Amino acid sequence: MEPMDIVGKSKEDVSLPKATMFKIIKEMLPPDVRVARDTQDLLVECCVEFINLVSSEANDVCNREDKRTIAPEHVLKALEVLGFGEYIEEVAAAYEQHKLETLDSPKGVRFSGIEMTEEEAAAEQQRMFAEARARMNNGVAPQKEPEPDRSFDSQNVDHV
């Protein structure tokens, strides 16, 4: 594979966030070590090339198995095929840790203990869509309607 040979992308289109990469580089080195800017850029390019290499091989593994979606197992097999077998255990552990962390995040939790009827969930979804539309149309979100007072639900009222 040619450097930066990515379907439909030019070299300028594909990169990693440099600030994040520089932070990672800095965290990996002792505090008294400085890294020249061009060296940081070179490390970012190396990371992009590595991702391209592993992705391409994972795609090949996926295709050999007649699958259409690259799974984590395909990436681990790609690392082995490419000669990075010594890292598979560490990568698998990092992936497991990632799964645990994302389960605890708000994105990983569907309702996080909030019980709603289907109608309430649909109404909440419509309200959120309306807010998003308003923000996109004129940059202003509609005023939030006050929550109905449910303290006098028929279940909580003693009949006289």
Side-chain angles (χ1 to χ4, degrees), residues 93-104:
Y95 174 63
E96 290 301 319
Q97 181 65 35
H98 168 75
K99 287 194 314 189
L100 290 174
E101 289 172 2
T102 55
L103 283 177
D104 293 339

Side-chain angles (χ1 to χ4, degrees), residues 99-153:
K99 287 194 314 189
L100 290 174
E101 289 172 2
T102 55
L103 283 177
D104 293 339
S105 74
K107 290 181 182 178
V109 178
R110 295 238 177 207
F111 288 105
S112 64
I114 299 173
E115 292 185 25
M116 287 189 210
T117 65
E118 191 170 328
E119 293 80 19
E120 290 171 328
E124 177 67 10
Q125 182 182 38
Q126 290 305 313
R127 182 192 64 75
M128 291 166 60
F129 283 150
E131 283 183 8
R133 269 192 300 278
R135 281 193 304 271
M136 290 192 66
N137 291 335
N138 57 15
V140 178
Q143 292 294 324
K144 189 173 183 178
E145 294 180 24
E147 294 287 325
D149 185 3
R150 295 182 186 234
S151 61
F152 293 107
D153 266 350

Side-chain angles (χ1 to χ4, degrees), residues 14-29 35-37 39-51:
V14 180
S15 189
L16 294 170
K18 287 189 177 187
T20 302
M21 294 301 298
F22 295 163
K23 182 178 179 212
I24 292 170
I25 293 166
K26 185 177 178 182
E27 288 175 357
M28 297 303 297
L29 299 173
V35 180
R37 182 67 71 178
T39 303
Q40 292 176 356
D41 291 339
L42 177 62
L43 285 168
V44 170
E45 292 300 318
C46 288
C47 291
V48 169
E49 285 299 319
F50 179 76
I51 291 168

